[in-house]
Amino acid sequence: MSLVSIPQASKWSSDFLYKEVLPTNISYLVQYGKVKKHGENGSTMVDLNDLKSYYDSYNGKRELNWKKTLETT
């Protein structure tokens, strides 16, 4: 498990996706249960493995939907 803070997760995500991901974007994912929250005493941490899985899944679904749209047109 690779736990990092929200700002660190934001930087990692930006590097991973090759686009800017703000800390508020990561907070949104945690708040709405897309990525599991870790930590205590007010310090929110996220697992980079969870974040990578979320992005892989999200990007995979977008690609499949895009391909399906192309096939039906």
Side-chain angles (χ1 to χ4, degrees):
M1 192 178 315
S2 304
L3 295 180
V4 296
S5 68
I6 298 244
Q8 290 169 320
S10 167
K11 168 132 182 45
W12 180 89
S13 297
S14 295
D15 293 343
F16 182 73
L17 297 173
Y18 302 106
K19 66 178 187 177
E20 186 175 18
V21 177
L22 299 173
T24 53
N25 300 124
I26 304 298
S27 295
Y28 172 90
L29 295 176
V30 171
Q31 182 178 355
Y32 288 95
K34 306 292 185 186
V35 176
K36 187 174 183 208
K37 174 183 176 179
H38 299 274
E40 52 192 52
N41 297 332
S43 65
T44 300
M45 306 290 276
V46 294
D47 184 349
L48 290 181
N49 296 320
D50 290 346
L51 204 52
K52 183 179 184 315
S53 294
Y54 169 77
Y55 286 129
D56 286 344
S57 167
Y58 177 76
N59 288 333
K61 286 179 186 171
R62 269 182 44 184
E63 183 178 344
L64 289 176
N65 288 339
W66 181 76
K67 285 180 180 177
K68 189 184 293 184
T69 300
L70 285 178
E71 291 172 358
T72 58
T73 56

